[in-house]
Each structure stands twice: as C-alpha cells, then as structure tokens.
C-alpha cells in the first residue's frame, strides 16, 4: 500500500514538471491549443495521482497500517473515526500532502473554468501554480514522504496528541491550509499579467473571487483556532500572539488590504503597482508561515519542530518572491495610475490610509514575531517580545482601521464638501460622544473602553445610515415595503453590501475583544470539599473529586456548585486528563456561558487529601467574538455570491 502512494506521488511530480513546461510554451505561443490541451491533461493527471496518494494514506490510517511510520506516529486503534480522518493533516508530511492536493484541485478548477475575460492569462497562471505544486511534490518525494515504512510493525500507534482531540482539529487546520494555498491563484494571475504585459484589470477580474473566498476561509480558520484555544488550552484567552498564530494572521491582514485596494484600481485606475505588491506579499507570507511551522526557528506549541525542510523553503521563497519583484520592477512603467488623488478629504484617501494601516499592522506583527530570531542573530541571545508589545502597537492601529471603516462608508469620492461631511457624520459623532459620557457616568474608567465603544457606535451608525438611505430610496422609486426594499438592496449589489455586513461582524467581534480583555476578573483558590470561593457576583462551592478511567487515560473531575447573587446558576465540572501515551496532562475547562459573560474554571491540581486548586475567571462578552466571526462569514458569503448575468439573445 505504501508503495502505491509513493509511486503515485512520484508520477504526479513527473507529469507536473511536464505540465509547467507545456503551459509556458502554450502561453508564449498565445494559448496554442495543442500545447495548452497537453498541459491541461497533465495537470488533471497530476490531480488524479495526488488524489490516489491521499486516498491511500487515508485508507492506511483508517485500517491501522502501523508499518507506515506516519500512521504509527499519529494514530491508534482507540481513536474515534473523526480524529482518524483528521490525522491526514495532523503531521508535517500529511499536511504537506494535503497542501499539494488542494493546490492541484485549485489549478484544475482554474483550467476547467471558462473565463469570459483574460483567457490568455490562464496558461501562464497555470504554469505558476504547477511550479508551486512541483515544489511541494519534491518535498513529499525527497524529504517528507508520508509513506515511509518502519522496519517492524508496532502492535499499537502513539495516537493523536491529546491537545488535538477537539472538533477544532477537524476544521481549523484544513481551513488554514485552504487559506494558505488559495492565495496561490491570485498570485499566479498577477504574475501572468506581468509576464504578458497586461496593464488592464483582467487579472483582478479573474482573481477577486479567489482572493475573497480564500480570505474568508482563512479568517474562519483563525476564529475557529481562537475558539479552540479558549475551550481547550485552559488559559482563559483565545489569542496569545504565538508565532504560528501570527503566521496565519499576517497574510490575512495583507489580503484584507488587497481586497480593499482592488476596488480603487477597478473604479479609479489607481494603486496598480500597490495591488501587485500586496498580492506578492500575501503569497510570500503564506509560504513563510508554512516555513515557520516546519522550521523550528521559533518556539511554539503549534510547530512541527525541525523537519529538514528549511533550505527548500528558503530557496523557493527566494526564487518566487525575488522573481516576482524583479518582474514587477521591469513592468512598473506600464502600471502607472490613470488618475491622481484630488483631495485628502475623499474616499480615495480613506482607502489609502486603510491600506497603509493594514500594512503597518502586518509589519508590526512580523517584526514582533521574528524579533527572537533577529535578536539572537545580531545580539547573541534570544529576546522575546510579549503580548504587551503586540497589543500596544496593534491596538491603536486596529481601532484606527475600524474608524476608517465608518468614515469610508459615507465620505464622497474625489473631494468631499463641508456640507457632505456635516450631513453624513454629525449624528454618528453626537451619538458616539453621548455614549462616551454615559459610560463615564456609569463608572467606566478604562481608557480603551471609553475610546473603543463610542467608536464602534459611530461606525455602526454610518453603516445603518447608508443602508437606510438606500432602502428608503428604493422603497420610493419601486413602491416596495421597507423590508423587501432593504433585502433587495443588499442583493442588488452583493459585493458592496456583503462588505458592510463584514464590517458589522468586525464591530461585534471588536466589542467582544474589548469587553473580554478589559473587564475580565480572575482569582485562584485551593478548596477542600464544601468550601466556597467568590468572584464578582458568583459563589462557587467545591463538591468533590471523582475518578474514572478509559483504555487510554485516567480522568479526574472536580465539580463545583455555582450561585449568582444567591440564586442557583448551575454546576461546573472541570477535568484533568492523564493520557498513557503522553507525559503532559491535559486540562478540560468548565464553562457556564451567556451573552453577558463566561464563568470559566480551570482545574489546576489536586492532592491526596481531596483538596483541589482552581483558577476562576469571569470573562465578559466573549461570546460576541464568536458571533462576530459568524457575521463576518455571512457577509463573506453574500459578497462571494455570484452575480446574475444578463442573458443576451
């Protein structure tokens, strides 16, 4: 079985190399049908062969073929089916195979899709994607073969790391990998436009939907990872500025800038070079993030450690990014803007500021992430920048981005007049100031909250103002009732109003982030049976410890009865799990949640007398972080939804 998988990968590599050559020849000969057809068939053959390899590995995992090293290392016979399936991306070799599989499918979709515009860009774009696929297939065939076999067959495998035994394991890694891989497509179309000397918007037309769906799924992956960390890792937070977390955030930030910036190019003919730089940077950071995860360069609970892949990734990064930048420099004269910015007080300037802030945030995250390696290289010792650095630098930047989302909604194109500014922003500003006064009067003294919540209200009112104007105008012109007019307004311009829904999701998520980080409370206690600890309005009384075992673990549970303001509020059970195959115990936190706040209990330790140590936290508004993520997803789906095309006779 292992031989079948390896041979399939080797053949996929061979036909992929041929496909690159054939696509380039076909592209040079302006889409020569014979070369393009041959290249397309090779691409499809590679996709089929990689699919066979994936099928072989999944079959080996599900049938417990422990003679294959990857299967023995990450699975065991007592694992539930859902975790066995997710083992495909649990390890370095399997996740690289999954990457190659996704990329081959994306490339197949690109060549099989009939494009109305920019058809002659497809051969070169396909060559770029297949070149990237060749790189990953070389890794799989030469360095990271998931079908390596052992000299003996173990009776049992090691099983999955207990920290990974969560439903997040099924969704979080594949969504992140989808995000990393998906940015290859718009990058490939950008390179194709540069190679063909095309200064028009064709490559953006072909790239926008790929960039949007990739951005959306990568963002979902990040939010799911935040939720997973919150419920599984047992430290009461959801974002620790871990290097691998940051590796996923950086391409998402640049892609957000790109999705805003392409609107400027398509509407005003501006930012052409900038858009190229953004998508090159997004692709480069996607590959860089994959490199970080597999390099052992930085310490993180998410990395695979040193894998021997470092020289390969650095070479690939150097070739692709330097090559792309060199090509961009060669074509830069053809990418001059068609118009210039007429006024700083205009929608164009807000888009520019928005882009600069996103790029600034990306640079700050990059420097903070790489600072340990940089300090060790130049200073001889590793210096780590903690969460405070990231929060202090990025917090104001992100709030400024949120403010621009509100200003950009209502400010005019080209040059906004004073009457435009007063008419559009006076009411939102007054509402924001009133809320700031109310919060202060209610006793809120945290500067972050006093600044952020009025700002969120300001942006919310600008979006609602825009919606109400549009819906009322449509209601009058088409004689529709308000609800129908409102829904049809959204559906009539899905990219625009989907974007507004995404902005609403950002507001809701920011509300949750501010509330959970500014107003949280924490206490620790060692309790004997019957003793009580209090935090805010809650009183938690320790019942007792309990024990049970399964074939793979010992589990100790601690139960606490909870009252809030003297009334019964439920019962919390927190657990400590000792797996037989892993030395480090795992904590399962206990949570009583509501839209107002979460009561969050971490079972720290216990002793033979039956006493137990707990960390107890009250985390306000955290539920709205996840709800905001769902609203963003809804907006992304609306923005991605295909537009109905007019049928011509």
């Amino acid at each position: 079985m292992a031989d079948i998988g390896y041979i399939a990968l080797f053949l996929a590599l061979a036909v992929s190399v041929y496909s690159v050559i054939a696509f380039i020849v076909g592209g040079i000969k302006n889409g020569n049908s014979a070369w393009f057809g041959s290249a397309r068939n090779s691409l499809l053959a590679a996709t089929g062969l990689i699919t066979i390899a994936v099928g072989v590995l999944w079959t080996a995992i599900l049938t417990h073929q422990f003679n294959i090293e990857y299967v023995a290392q990450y699975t065991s016979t007592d694992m539930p089916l859902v975790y066995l399936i997710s083992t495909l991306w649990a390890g370095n070799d399997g996740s690289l195979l999954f990457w190659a599989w996704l990329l081959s499918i994306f490339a197949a979709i690109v060549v099989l899709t009939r494009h109305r515009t920019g058809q002659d860009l497809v051969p070169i774009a396909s060559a770029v994607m297949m070149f990237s696929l060749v790189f990953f297939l070389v890794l799989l065939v030469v360095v990271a073969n998931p079908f390596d076999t052992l000299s003996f067959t173990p009776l049992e495998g090691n099983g999955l790391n207990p920290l990974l035994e969560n439903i997040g394991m099924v969704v979080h890694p594949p969504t992140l990998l989808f995000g990393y891989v998906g940015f290859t497509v718009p990058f490939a179309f950008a390179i194709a436009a540069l190679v063909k000397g095309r200064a028009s918007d064709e490559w953006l037309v072909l790239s926008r939907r790929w960039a949007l769906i990739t951005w959306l799924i990568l963002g979902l992956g990040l939010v799911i990872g935040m939720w997973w960390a919150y419920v599984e890792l047992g430290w009461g937070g959801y974002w620790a500025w871990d290097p691998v977390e940051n590796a996923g955030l950086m391409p998402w930030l640049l892609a957000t800038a790109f999705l805003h910036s392409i609107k400027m190019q398509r509407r005003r003919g501006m930012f052409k070079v900038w858009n190229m730089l953004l998508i090159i940077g997004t692709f480069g950071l996607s590959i860089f993030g994959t490199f970080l995860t597999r390099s052992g360069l930085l310490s993180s609970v998410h990395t695979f450690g040193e894998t021997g892949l470092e020289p390969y990734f650095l070479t690939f990064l150097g070739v692709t990014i330097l090559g792309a930048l060199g090509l961009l420099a060669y074509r830069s004269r053809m990418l001059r803007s068609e118009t210039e910015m007429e006024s700083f007080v205009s929608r164009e300037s807000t888009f520019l500021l928005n882009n600069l802030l996103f790029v600034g945030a990306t640079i700050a995250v990059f420097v903070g992430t790489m600072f340990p390696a940089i300090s060790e290289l130049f200073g001889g010792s590793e210096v780590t920048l903690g969460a405070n650095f990231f929060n202090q630098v990025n917090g104001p930047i992100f709030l400024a981005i949120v403010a621009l989302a509100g200003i950009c909604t209502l400010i005019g194109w080209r040059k906004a007049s004073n009457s435009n500014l007063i008419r559009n922003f006076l009411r939102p500003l007054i509402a924001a100031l009133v809320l700031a006064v109310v919060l202060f009067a209610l006793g809120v003294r945290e500067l972050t909250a006093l600044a952020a919540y009025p700002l969120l209200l300001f942006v919310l009112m600008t979006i609602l103002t825009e919606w109400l104007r549009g819906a009322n105008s449509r209601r009058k012109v088409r004689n529709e009732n308000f609800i129908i007019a409102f829904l049809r307004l959204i559906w009539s311009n899905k990219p625009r109003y989907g974007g507004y829904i995404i902005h609403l999701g950002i507001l809701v998520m920011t509300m949750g982030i501010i509330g959970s980080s500014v107003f949280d409370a924490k206490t620790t206690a060692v309790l004997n049976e019957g003793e009580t600890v209090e935090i805010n309005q809650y009183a938690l009384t320790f019942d007792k410890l309990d024990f049970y075992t399964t074939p793979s673990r010992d589990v100790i549970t601690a139960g606490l009865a909870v009252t809030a303001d003297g009334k019964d509020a439920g019962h919390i059970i927190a657990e400590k799990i000792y797996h037989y195959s892993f030395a480090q115990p795992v904590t399962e936190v206990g949570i009583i949640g509501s839209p107002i706040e979460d009561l969050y209990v971490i079972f720290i330790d216990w002793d033979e007398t039956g006493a137990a140590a707990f960390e107890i936290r009250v985390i306000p508004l955290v539920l709205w972080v996840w709800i905001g993520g769902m609203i963003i997803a809804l907006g992304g789906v609306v923005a991605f939804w295909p537009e109905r095309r007019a049928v011509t006779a």
Side-chain angles (χ1 to χ4, degrees):
M1 178 175 284
D3 290 341
I4 295 174
Y6 184 76
I7 291 171
L9 288 179
F10 187 84
L11 292 176
L13 173 60
V15 296
S16 296
V17 171
Y18 170 77
S19 181
V20 172
I21 298 169
F23 273 127
I24 291 174
V25 175
I28 293 173
K29 295 188 175 183
N30 293 321
N32 179 285
S33 58
W35 279 101
F36 182 76
S38 177
R40 181 192 58 200
N41 292 338
S42 302
L43 185 159
L44 297 177
T47 305
L49 288 164
I50 298 171
T51 303
I52 290 173
V54 170
V56 168
L57 186 56
W58 250 330
T59 302
I61 290 170
L62 296 176
T63 57
H64 309 301
Q65 303 294 315
F66 294 132
N67 62 314
I68 297 177
E69 185 177 359
Y70 187 85
V71 178
Q73 189 172 357
Y74 294 105
T75 74
S76 59
T77 54
D78 62 341
M79 283 173 56
L81 177 63
V82 67
Y83 294 139
L84 283 174
I85 293 172
S86 65
T87 303
L88 178 66
W89 46 78
N92 175 53
D93 301 354
S95 63
L96 288 175
L97 176 61
F98 187 66
W99 180 300
W101 189 36
L102 285 178
L103 182 54
S104 68
I105 292 171
F106 294 168
I109 292 172
V110 168
V111 298
L112 292 176
T113 303
R114 298 180 65 183
H115 301 286
R116 285 186 165 188
T117 57
Q119 287 189 3
D120 58 336
L121 298 181
V122 173
I124 298 298
S126 300
V128 174
M129 287 186 285
M130 293 307 289
F131 176 73
S132 183
L133 181 61
V134 166
F135 166 69
F136 282 95
L137 287 171
V138 167
L139 296 183
L140 289 165
V141 170
V142 178
V143 193
N145 176 18
F147 300 103
D148 274 341
T149 55
L150 297 167
S151 58
F152 65 100
T153 302
L155 295 176
E156 183 57 278
N158 292 334
L160 200 62
N161 185 323
L163 285 174
L164 302 180
E165 292 186 355
N166 182 285
I167 192 64
M169 182 62 194
V170 181
V171 185
H172 172 62
T175 51
L176 280 188
L177 288 168
F178 185 106
Y180 287 149
V181 179
F183 287 127
T184 307
V185 180
F187 170 77
F189 278 117
I191 297 302
L194 291 174
V195 170
K196 301 290 285 186
R198 307 292 282 273
S200 66
D201 298 343
E202 288 173 316
W203 76 275
L204 290 178
V205 174
L206 296 166
S207 300
R208 178 191 163 273
R209 287 170 58 77
W210 278 102
L212 178 60
I213 191 65
T214 302
W215 173 88
L216 173 63
I217 293 180
L218 177 59
L220 275 177
L222 292 172
V223 174
I224 293 169
M226 292 162 65
W227 172 83
W228 186 4
Y230 180 72
V231 302
E232 190 67 37
L233 293 184
W235 57 283
Y238 41 78
W239 190 268
W241 297 106
D242 177 273
V244 176
E245 291 176 346
N246 296 344
L249 178 64
M250 287 187 286
W252 186 85
L253 288 173
L254 273 196
T256 309
F258 175 72
L259 286 169
H260 285 85
S261 184
I262 59 176
K263 188 173 181 179
M264 293 299 300
Q265 179 171 340
R266 297 189 66 183
R267 186 180 178 104
R268 303 276 288 135
M270 304 169 71
F271 299 174
K272 292 184 178 181
V273 172
W274 181 250
N275 283 327
M276 287 285 181
L277 285 171
L278 286 177
I279 199 59
I280 291 170
T282 301
F283 173 77
L285 286 174
S286 298
I287 299 297
F288 182 74
T290 310
F291 160 71
L292 266 188
T293 311
R294 291 161 173 80
S295 68
L297 182 65
L298 300 171
S299 300
S300 168
V301 297
H302 302 287
T303 64
F304 296 112
E306 294 185 9
T307 58
L309 299 174
E310 296 87 345
Y312 296 88
F313 269 101
L314 291 176
T315 303
F316 180 69
L317 261 176
V319 169
T320 53
I321 301 304
L322 292 179
L325 292 177
L327 195 55
L328 177 59
Y330 176 70
R331 296 291 194 188
S332 58
R333 295 185 64 182
M334 107 187 161
L335 295 172
R336 289 176 178 167
S337 294
E338 298 166 16
T339 57
E340 294 184 355
M341 198 173 296
E342 299 176 19
S343 169
F344 184 74
V345 187
S346 63
R347 186 169 292 189
E348 289 90 332
S349 69
T350 62
F351 271 94
L352 177 60
L353 284 174
N354 159 293
N355 265 239
L356 293 176
L357 289 169
F358 272 112
V359 172
T362 306
I363 293 172
V365 174
F366 182 86
V367 171
T369 303
M370 295 304 298
F371 197 78
I374 296 170
S375 61
E376 186 174 17
L377 179 64
F378 293 102
S381 61
E382 186 175 295
V383 178
T384 301
L385 298 177
N388 283 340
F389 164 80
F390 292 99
N391 292 331
Q392 289 174 4
V393 174
N394 287 299
I397 293 177
F398 288 145
L399 286 180
I401 290 172
V402 171
L404 282 174
I407 296 170
C408 184
T409 303
L410 293 180
I411 199 169
W413 291 98
R414 298 178 183 275
K415 183 178 181 180
S417 64
N418 290 335
S419 60
N420 170 279
L421 296 175
I422 293 172
R423 183 177 68 251
N424 289 328
F425 295 113
L426 185 59
R427 290 180 181 175
L429 277 174
I430 291 174
L433 289 173
V434 169
L435 179 60
V437 172
V438 169
L439 289 174
F440 190 83
L442 291 174
V444 176
R445 295 293 182 270
E446 288 77 9
L447 187 59
T448 302
L450 285 172
Y453 285 128
L455 177 61
L456 297 182
L457 179 62
F458 167 80
V459 179
L460 174 64
M461 288 199 64
T462 62
I463 294 173
L464 294 181
T465 299
E466 174 70 5
W467 273 354
L468 287 173
R469 282 181 188 169
N472 276 325
S473 175
R474 184 182 177 103
R475 179 177 60 81
K476 293 175 182 176
V477 172
R478 307 204 177 192
N479 196 26
E480 298 170 340
N481 70 54
F482 182 80
I483 294 176
I484 295 296
F486 177 72
L487 294 176
R488 287 180 175 172
L489 175 74
I490 294 175
W491 212 242
S492 65
N493 192 342
K494 292 183 275 293
R496 178 181 182 183
Y497 290 100
Y500 288 154
I501 295 173
I502 291 171
H503 287 177
L504 283 180
I506 296 291
L507 298 185
V508 172
M509 180 177 280
T510 305
M511 179 182 75
I513 291 172
I514 297 296
S516 60
S517 58
V518 173
F519 299 111
D520 65 321
K522 180 177 77 173
T523 188
T524 57
V526 178
L527 302 176
N528 292 301
E529 290 184 12
E531 290 185 334
T532 299
V533 60
E534 296 184 355
I535 179 170
N536 291 3
Q537 73 273 30
Y538 297 102
L540 296 89
T541 302
F542 177 39
D543 290 338
K544 63 176 182 177
L545 293 176
D546 209 346
F547 303 84
Y548 68 90
T549 62
T550 73
S552 61
R553 68 196 72 177
D554 293 329
V555 182
I556 303 168
T557 68
L560 300 102
V562 181
T563 61
D565 294 325
K567 299 178 181 177
D568 181 25
H571 193 264
I572 281 183
I573 294 178
E575 295 182 343
K576 206 78 176 175
I577 303 170
Y578 297 85
H579 288 258
Y580 301 149
S581 302
F582 294 86
Q584 191 72 22
V586 176
T587 297
E588 287 287 343
V589 299
I591 301 174
I592 292 179
S594 76
I596 303 298
E597 61 192 14
D598 278 9
L599 179 63
Y600 188 97
V601 176
I602 307 164
F603 180 17
I604 300 173
D605 207 352
W606 57 285
D607 65 25
E608 295 177 351
T609 68
F614 300 97
E615 179 178 317
I616 303 160
R617 307 174 70 111
V618 177
I619 308 173
L621 302 179
V622 69
L623 178 64
W624 296 97
V625 176
W626 325 129
I627 292 175
M630 288 187 278
I631 296 173
I632 292 171
L634 173 64
V637 171
V638 171
F640 183 76
W641 202 269
E643 297 284 346
R644 179 181 294 178
R645 293 174 179 172
V647 178
T648 57

